[in-house]
Amino acid sequence: MAMEMLSDIKETHNKPVTAVAYNPMKHEILIGCEDGVIKVWDYSAGEPGKLLRTVHEHDGWVTCFLFWAEAKLLFSAANDGTFIAWGSGGAVHDRISIGSPIYSMAWNTRRNQLVAAVGTTVQVFTLRDPGRESGHVIDPKGDVSREHTDLVKCVVCHESRVYSAGNDQRLIVYDSAFSYHGKNTLAVVSRVNKAHDAGIICMCLARDSDNNTWIFTGGFDKVVKVWSQDGQCMHKFDGFSSAVTGVCYVKPIKTIWIAGGSIGASMYDPKSGDNVSDFIGTFQNEESGAYPLVALHYIPDLGHVIGTNTRRHIRVWRYNSSGCLTNLKNKCAVETLTYTRKVPLLIFSGGSDGQVTKWERFQSNNFMYSKEIFPHSEAKARLAAQIANKYDWLGPNRGIIKDLNQNTKQRPSFAINQMPSEHISNIALLRSVFVEDLDLLVVASEDHNIYVWGFDMDAVSVLQNMRPADESLIFKYAILLGDKVPRAEQENVEGSKDQDSVTNRVAGFICRNVLTEHTNCVTGLAVVGKDAGYGTTFLISAGWDRRILLWDLETVRLHDSFRNTDSNASSESEELASDGIILDLTYSADRDEFAYASSDKLVYIRRFSDKGREMKLLAVLQGHEADVTQVRWSSVRNKWVTGSEDGTIRVWNADGMSCELVLSAQGAVSALCIDQVNGCIVAGIQEVIRVYDPETRKIVQKNVGHTDSVRCVMHIPERSQYISASWDKTVRIWNAFKNSRKRSTKDNKEQSEDANS
């Protein structure tokens, strides 16, 4: 997740830690211990520094801390029955003896009161003028509420409401806005007598950016419950290995963190109640020898979380806007990514096992994704069916290929990659594109084949032709039928022409065709849309056989292949497009050109044509000192961008005549994409993703989280996210870089124009 480990203080104290807090006035972290000791660490640099002081003023367990901003005082409380107010210099400012153990404190901002859980009661203390020279800072005689029958362990406040819970399993909601004969009393609004099946240990209150307010409680029954402001149970989370000892709401990522016997916090979405732990990477790389968490404390001012564990360590996590939002796990190394822009937006990944995985985000939250696998066995079965249909196995001309286009027969010039064999282990998927106009997923494989996946049209037809007994359902589910709604009904379906048909997405994907003309790994794919003016949709493919093939995707046939028109070219090299193997390929719709990167350290730019002999060479990008692994066209800046194993990223002008910029990548470039909003270059360099601004020539964002080589990066502008695939068997989702400098410049310009007007 965007929450990442900041520090881990291991040398704290020789007794268990019983309370933890942050002092915003002095930027300090405090811990209270079982023997009454309080220790303070410097936090002024945004992370724990040196130990500042150790004090021992309490005689029992330090149970809680509370900061009084107006008086600039910090309160500590313990089960020895005393409040201690600490001054700004760290010395004792006041000591108030109550006579009963104090387990929790909260601040009632509406009435400027200190509310405390004292023994089996909830007490309200009036705060006195902090500037007075005599007497205590609070009135030792608080107003008492005796609604509980056992120790009250938790108390929180929100506006005029007060919430308490304890060992008697009760959750009680009070209203503090009443006054009777000059006394401040707590009027009970709601009482849940059996809130948990065992004593309640911890409680916190949270409010998100949408003004949703929740109360979270955790207890000895190994359960966490989410309550509304009125005491109505909204969600129940169970399955923890031990009693729940800590719970907090982390506002930047809108999740609940729960300490329940595991070394990492369990994370839930409070709105949907979904467990999102498996999709968030904060605790997924925890060492096996780590210790279970005990307490959790969120710092609103900094967006940090402080935690303690059973080994008395202090652990701190901080929010990182460029950190991983979601971590999607796979069973194999992931090589390629693509997506479809239509609603619902789908992400496709392909890996070393030859299988395609479809990811779709849940509507309930932004972290969880459904997962569907398209098995390689289905693709192999489709290939076998094509071969069986292509060869005349039973006729006298056995071994002759039937040309399905012209009903004539010809000798096979290629067959080695057509035969599905169990001993073929090189089945990794290396490149993929999604063809929006045709709803086709095209995937290039290491086994020399290109697999074309599409929606199951037979199932689509069944769904479209089904007429319900109740005709009114046609209108209710018109979005599923799209333009297949009967014409008579279409006139009555508002906006039916503008609706994208999602019937096919209900039907699912099948492997519809296998393109088998390549004789080695296919490492480059690009789509030339029908809007380019060629009357159909083309696919350009290239790979290690150094050939460039052109496919008609509407007929799913080989249309033509590149031919070298050089008179000096031999017949053997006529189809070869480069001296080295082709490692990447891209198409520029702006210029109607395509470029391909090669292991011969060059990038070739050619004019696109639907005739192989007319693919004229326009430019050769020369300057890299090692294999060129990536090439992209930046439509935002009208530049060609290349990445190489020589550790550089180069930016070239549109005609390819000169290199305008060389960026040091600090490692071999294995993945590259262009931010379609601001034109930044997003590069995968070993296990790190770096975002470069070509204007400033600086790294503007760095995404760290992968543990192995990043193989593919893509930008989804619809969600302002980058998606990356890696050999570490994960697909990770990150926040895209937002150019605040440009935005502020634009705002200043608009403000200046307004002022002048």
Side-chain angles (χ1 to χ4, degrees):
M1 191 57 196
M3 297 297 294
E4 60 184 18
M5 173 65 70
L6 177 62
S7 62
D8 187 356
I9 303 176
K10 297 183 178 180
E11 300 296 329
T12 57
H13 195 55
N14 57 4
K15 293 292 183 180
V17 178
T18 54
V20 61
Y22 171 72
N23 185 341
M25 180 182 68
K26 301 194 56 144
H27 304 290
E28 296 171 342
I29 287 181
L30 304 95
I31 64 167
C33 302
E34 193 176 272
D35 57 359
V37 169
I38 296 174
K39 288 190 173 184
V40 183
W41 277 267
D42 178 32
Y43 206 73
S44 58
E47 59 182 289
K50 65 178 182 179
L51 178 65
L52 296 178
R53 58 187 178 275
T54 301
V55 294
H56 192 176
E57 295 291 338
H58 286 286
D59 294 328
W61 289 19
V62 179
T63 55
C64 54
F65 297 97
L66 182 67
F67 181 68
W68 183 10
E70 182 183 354
K72 298 181 180 179
L73 295 176
L74 178 76
F75 286 93
S76 64
N79 64 2
D80 61 1
T82 59
F83 292 109
I84 294 180
W86 302 86
S88 58
V92 175
H93 178 80
D94 194 7
R95 186 190 303 269
I96 305 101
S97 179
I98 302 300
S100 297
I102 305 164
Y103 295 102
S104 180
M105 292 184 292
W107 185 262
N108 187 340
T109 55
R110 180 65 64 87
R111 300 186 64 82
N112 207 27
Q113 298 168 338
L114 189 153
V115 183
V118 181
T120 61
T121 66
V122 176
Q123 298 190 22
V124 180
F125 298 92
T126 302
L127 298 170
R128 294 177 173 173
D129 183 0
R132 63 185 299 166
E133 297 179 357
S134 61
H136 297 294
V137 294
I138 64 173
D139 187 348
K141 296 181 179 180
D143 297 303
V144 181
S145 174
R146 305 182 186 277
E147 300 294 332
H148 286 277
T149 59
D150 205 337
L151 295 178
V152 183
K153 303 303 292 289
C154 322
V155 61
V156 296
C157 298
H158 175 63
E159 296 179 346
S160 64
R161 294 291 174 91
V162 177
Y163 304 84
S164 66
N167 287 351
D168 58 0
Q169 308 169 23
R170 290 182 177 181
L171 171 66
I172 301 178
V173 183
Y174 311 86
D175 194 323
S176 63
F178 295 97
S179 179
Y180 181 72
H181 291 299
K183 293 185 177 181
N184 297 310
T185 60
L186 295 177
V188 176
V189 174
S190 176
R191 179 188 291 108
V192 184
N193 291 326
K194 196 71 173 177
H196 283 255
D197 293 332
I200 300 173
I201 307 172
C202 56
M203 177 167 62
C204 81
L205 184 142
R207 188 175 184 178
D208 69 359
S209 56
D210 298 325
N211 291 326
N212 296 308
T213 303
W214 304 283
I215 295 90
F216 311 120
T217 58
F220 285 110
D221 57 357
K222 306 177 185 179
V223 168
V224 170
K225 291 187 178 182
V226 182
W227 307 86
S228 68
Q229 298 181 65
D230 297 326
Q232 300 297 318
C233 184
M234 302 172 63
H235 299 294
K236 176 183 177 182
F237 311 140
D238 53 16
F240 300 101
S241 59
S242 67
V244 177
T245 55
V247 58
C248 72
Y249 178 72
V250 185
K251 190 172 183 178
I253 60 175
K254 300 179 180 181
T255 58
I256 311 168
W257 284 24
I258 300 170
S262 59
I263 59 177
S266 299
M267 288 168 276
Y268 289 81
D269 180 1
K271 283 188 176 180
S272 64
D274 295 326
N275 185 343
V276 298
S277 303
D278 291 339
F279 295 88
I280 298 177
T282 303
F283 298 99
Q284 291 182 4
N285 296 323
E286 290 286 344
E287 300 177 359
S288 58
Y291 301 95
L293 289 173
V294 176
L296 294 168
H297 176 75
Y298 175 65
I299 306 175
D301 297 341
L302 303 176
H304 293 192
V305 176
I306 307 172
T308 63
N309 61 20
T310 56
R311 196 64 177 177
R312 305 180 299 280
H313 297 173
I314 299 176
R315 312 191 76 191
V316 181
W317 297 267
R318 68 176 175 185
Y319 175 71
N320 180 5
S321 60
S322 60
C324 177
L325 296 174
T326 304
N327 184 8
L328 307 178
K329 299 178 182 178
N330 293 262
K331 294 183 178 180
C332 66
V334 189
E335 288 274 0
T336 180
L337 291 168
T338 189
Y339 82 104
T340 168
R341 297 178 177 86
K342 293 180 180 178
V343 178
L345 190 149
L346 306 175
I347 300 171
F348 301 92
S349 64
S352 59
D353 60 355
Q355 300 188 136
V356 178
T357 303
K358 183 190 78 174
W359 306 92
E360 182 179 351
R361 192 171 74 180
F362 286 6
Q363 293 184 357
S364 59
N365 61 72
N366 294 330
F367 308 110
M368 300 179 67
Y369 283 72
S370 64
K371 179 180 181 180
E372 181 182 353
I373 295 177
F374 307 153
H376 183 66
S377 58
E378 182 178 336
K380 289 176 64 178
R382 179 62 191 174
L383 176 59
Q386 284 189 198
I387 295 173
N389 188 42
K390 187 175 290 187
Y391 282 89
D392 185 8
W393 295 106
L394 302 178
N397 298 318
R398 188 177 296 109
I400 303 296
I401 298 178
K402 296 184 292 184
D403 190 328
L404 301 181
N405 287 326
Q406 302 176 7
N407 296 320
T408 58
K409 299 179 180 180
Q410 57 183 0
R411 289 288 175 182
S413 60
F414 54 91
I416 191 168
N417 64 311
Q418 297 183 11
M419 300 301 295
S421 175
E422 295 298 331
H423 71 271
I424 296 178
S425 58
N426 298 327
I427 58 175
L429 304 179
L430 304 178
R431 292 289 188 274
S432 60
V433 293
F434 193 90
V435 186
E436 297 286 352
D437 295 340
L438 304 177
D439 277 338
L440 293 178
L441 172 65
V442 183
V443 186
S445 175
E446 195 177 5
D447 65 2
H448 320 165
N449 296 318
I450 300 172
Y451 299 95
V452 181
W453 293 80
F455 295 108
D456 187 348
M457 300 312 296
D458 292 337
V460 171
S461 178
V462 170
L463 286 171
Q464 291 171 342
N465 293 329
M466 289 177 62
R467 291 189 66 89
D470 184 357
E471 295 290 339
S472 64
L473 293 179
I474 293 179
F475 305 101
K476 185 176 181 180
Y477 298 107
I479 189 174
L480 291 177
L481 298 175
D483 58 2
K484 300 300 182 181
V485 177
R487 182 168 299 177
E489 284 83 355
Q490 278 187 4
E491 299 176 357
N492 299 320
V493 179
E494 183 179 355
S496 62
K497 294 182 179 180
D498 298 329
Q499 295 285 359
D500 286 333
S501 174
V502 296
T503 309
N504 45 12
R505 294 162 191 262
V506 177
F509 273 82
I510 61 171
C511 184
R512 293 168 59 176
N513 295 91
V514 184
L515 311 180
T516 60
E517 290 286 348
H518 280 285
T519 59
N520 213 324
C521 301
V522 183
T523 52
L525 294 175
V527 175
V528 181
K530 201 170 184 177
D531 54 1
Y534 294 95
T536 188
T537 303
F538 285 116
L539 173 73
I540 313 172
S541 65
W544 285 15
D545 58 5
R546 297 185 285 168
R547 301 166 64 216
I548 297 174
L549 302 183
L550 188 62
W551 309 85
D552 187 335
L553 284 179
E554 296 189 12
T555 61
V556 201
R557 302 279 180 172
L558 178 65
H559 180 80
D560 204 350
S561 61
F562 165 77
R563 294 289 191 277
N564 193 339
T565 57
D566 187 354
S567 58
N568 297 324
S570 63
S571 58
E572 294 181 356
S573 62
E574 182 184 14
E575 291 191 2
L576 302 185
S578 63
D579 293 334
I581 61 176
I582 298 174
L583 299 175
D584 195 21
L585 181 147
T586 191
Y587 171 74
S588 167
D590 300 330
R591 298 179 61 84
D592 196 25
E593 299 170 0
F594 68 95
Y596 50 97
S598 173
S599 63
D600 60 13
K601 308 177 185 179
L602 303 175
V603 176
Y604 303 83
I605 302 175
R606 293 186 179 273
R607 174 73 62 192
F608 176 77
S609 173
D610 57 354
K611 298 178 178 60
R613 292 188 178 275
E614 297 179 7
M615 295 179 176
K616 181 182 177 181
L617 181 65
L618 301 176
V620 177
L621 309 184
Q622 185 173 1
H624 286 291
E625 298 177 356
D627 295 1
V628 185
T629 57
Q630 302 288 313
V631 57
R632 295 290 181 270
W633 168 254
S634 174
S635 59
V636 179
R637 303 181 184 276
N638 294 318
K639 308 289 183 184
W640 293 102
V641 183
T642 59
S644 169
E645 290 185 354
D646 64 4
T648 64
I649 298 170
R650 292 175 179 260
V651 180
W652 313 76
N653 58 8
D655 57 14
M657 291 296 103
S658 64
C659 177
E660 298 182 348
L661 176 63
V662 180
L663 299 171
S664 175
Q666 306 174 25
V669 180
S670 55
L672 199 67
C673 84
I674 305 300
D675 190 306
Q676 300 172 43
V677 175
N678 52 47
C680 287
I681 301 168
V682 187
I685 301 142
Q686 297 172 354
E687 71 276 7
V688 179
I689 299 170
R690 293 186 176 93
V691 183
Y692 298 85
D693 185 346
E695 288 188 0
T696 62
R697 304 189 178 191
K698 295 181 179 179
I699 299 175
V700 293
Q701 183 167 297
K702 183 178 178 181
N703 302 108
V704 179
H706 283 295
T707 57
D708 207 335
S709 176
V710 177
R711 305 304 300 170
C712 185
V713 180
M714 68 177 181
H715 178 218
I716 300 184
E718 293 85 354
R719 291 180 177 171
S720 298
Q721 293 176 341
Y722 301 139
I723 316 292
S724 61
S726 169
W727 279 349
D728 65 5
K729 303 181 181 180
T730 66
V731 172
R732 294 178 184 251
I733 301 175
W734 321 78
N735 281 325
F737 169 68
K738 295 181 179 179
N739 198 335
S740 58
R741 178 180 59 83
K742 281 190 173 182
R743 185 166 57 251
S744 61
T745 302
K746 181 180 179 181
D747 293 341
N748 292 336
K749 183 178 179 181
E750 292 176 350
Q751 291 175 4
S752 176
E753 292 176 352
D754 293 340
N756 293 333
S757 62

